[in-house]
Amino acid sequence: MSATAMTPEQQQQQQAAAIRAQKIRAYLEMNFARDPNPAPAAVQAIASQIGESRDAVHNWFIQRRMLQAQSARHAAEEFDRRSPFTLTSIQIGDWQCTAQFKGHVTGQFDFDTQTVFWIVLSGGVAQRIGMPFDTITAIELSATTKTQARIVFSFSRPPRFSEEVDPAPDRSTEWTTIDDFSSGMQASQHLTHVLLLNKIDVEHHLRALIAFSPAIKGMIRTAMHKPAQPPSDSTQAHIPVN
């Protein structure tokens, strides 16, 4: 026997419930991003906003923290802090270099030499812009989209420039000092470097940099978040955990 078809009214109710669930999930995720472990009063306030019980919201945050910790463990197992991270673009003064392919423009925090590098492939040869960790004066973080980040580094003095010597996959890379290769020598004149990149690509590298140097942690500034707005629909729905 075939199942009874839903009436138009039942279909509308189902769609409304699904939309409500999506709004609740988005609202909870925004609050989680602001504070993964909110105080009881904050949990109660969130519960009141979405029309759910305090216990339901409390349990959602517990499960969400467990999921985050699990994801972090998996990422940490695969993460090599010495590896380069992909950049979408870098701008210094009027000079801008936008990646044309994966690996064209990358960044690297070299913990052995304590140097920040921006690396550009030019004709198959890597060229680097290098700034010692102790020349960093500020790091400003902001989001341009859900997946893209904007990071602004400020330095106390101009960088040094180097180029790969006779690159070959079967031996260690050697570098030689070169002149500023940015157009108009902009990198020698401007101490502010603006990066666009994928959040996931740089997240663990930044954490490693902060862990390496507590002084750098104090230099980081994050763009202000807009207050999370509760769902406007008053229809009840269960809290989606994942």
Side-chain angles (χ1 to χ4, degrees):
M1 182 180 294
S2 60
T4 304
M6 289 191 297
T7 65
E9 182 179 358
Q10 289 174 325
Q11 291 178 346
Q12 290 179 353
Q13 291 176 346
Q14 186 179 59
Q15 291 174 354
I19 293 172
R20 171 64 177 169
Q22 291 176 355
K23 289 181 178 180
I24 288 177
R25 173 62 183 272
Y27 181 62
L28 289 170
E29 288 289 351
M30 283 190 290
N31 279 279
F32 183 84
R34 295 166 62 188
D35 185 0
N37 192 14
V43 172
Q44 182 60 61
I46 294 170
S48 298
Q49 290 283 13
I50 63 176
E52 289 286 346
S53 70
R54 177 189 174 281
D55 287 344
V57 173
H58 176 68
N59 290 335
W60 183 90
F61 273 90
I62 291 175
Q63 294 181 51
R64 185 63 179 82
R65 288 195 298 272
M66 291 173 61
L67 181 62
Q68 183 186 58
Q70 185 181 44
S71 298
R73 283 195 298 270
H74 289 319
E77 291 173 357
E78 301 175 357
F79 171 65
D80 179 0
R81 71 176 190 172
R82 298 168 298 179
S83 63
F85 47 90
T86 300
L87 300 181
T88 302
S89 69
I90 177 172
Q91 181 170 354
I92 306 175
D94 293 332
W95 176 68
Q96 180 170 342
C97 184
T98 301
Q100 302 300 312
F101 51 87
K102 186 174 179 62
H104 178 203
V105 186
T106 58
Q108 182 184 27
F109 301 140
D110 189 325
F111 294 93
D112 293 331
T113 64
Q114 298 186 31
T115 305
V116 177
F117 288 111
W118 314 139
I119 306 168
V120 179
L121 285 180
S122 178
V125 176
Q127 297 178 323
R128 300 190 306 187
I129 302 174
M131 295 70 55
F133 286 175
D134 61 10
T135 65
I136 300 173
T137 59
I139 302 174
E140 181 181 319
L141 310 178
S142 60
T144 57
T145 68
K146 287 185 177 180
T147 59
Q148 287 286 312
R150 180 178 184 267
I151 305 180
V152 181
F153 279 83
S154 297
F155 300 95
S156 61
R157 64 173 185 263
R160 295 179 179 178
F161 306 88
S162 57
E163 184 176 81
E164 197 175 16
V165 178
D166 297 328
D170 58 347
R171 63 171 181 264
S172 300
T173 303
E174 296 182 3
W175 301 88
T176 185
T177 301
I178 61 173
D179 293 331
D180 185 347
F181 56 84
S182 65
S183 60
M185 301 185 71
Q186 292 289 294
S188 297
Q189 303 173 48
H190 297 272
L191 302 179
T192 299
H193 302 183
V194 182
L195 313 179
L196 293 180
L197 67 170
N198 190 294
K199 292 179 183 178
I200 296 177
D201 288 340
V202 75
E203 179 181 3
H204 296 292
H205 292 275
L206 278 177
R207 288 180 179 175
L209 179 63
I210 292 169
F212 181 84
S213 174
I216 291 177
K217 181 178 181 180
M219 300 175 188
I220 293 180
R221 299 291 181 269
T222 304
M224 295 294 291
H225 293 286
K226 293 182 178 180
Q229 297 298 319
S232 57
D233 191 346
S234 60
T235 306
Q236 294 291 320
H238 294 294
I239 298 177
V241 176
N242 49 39

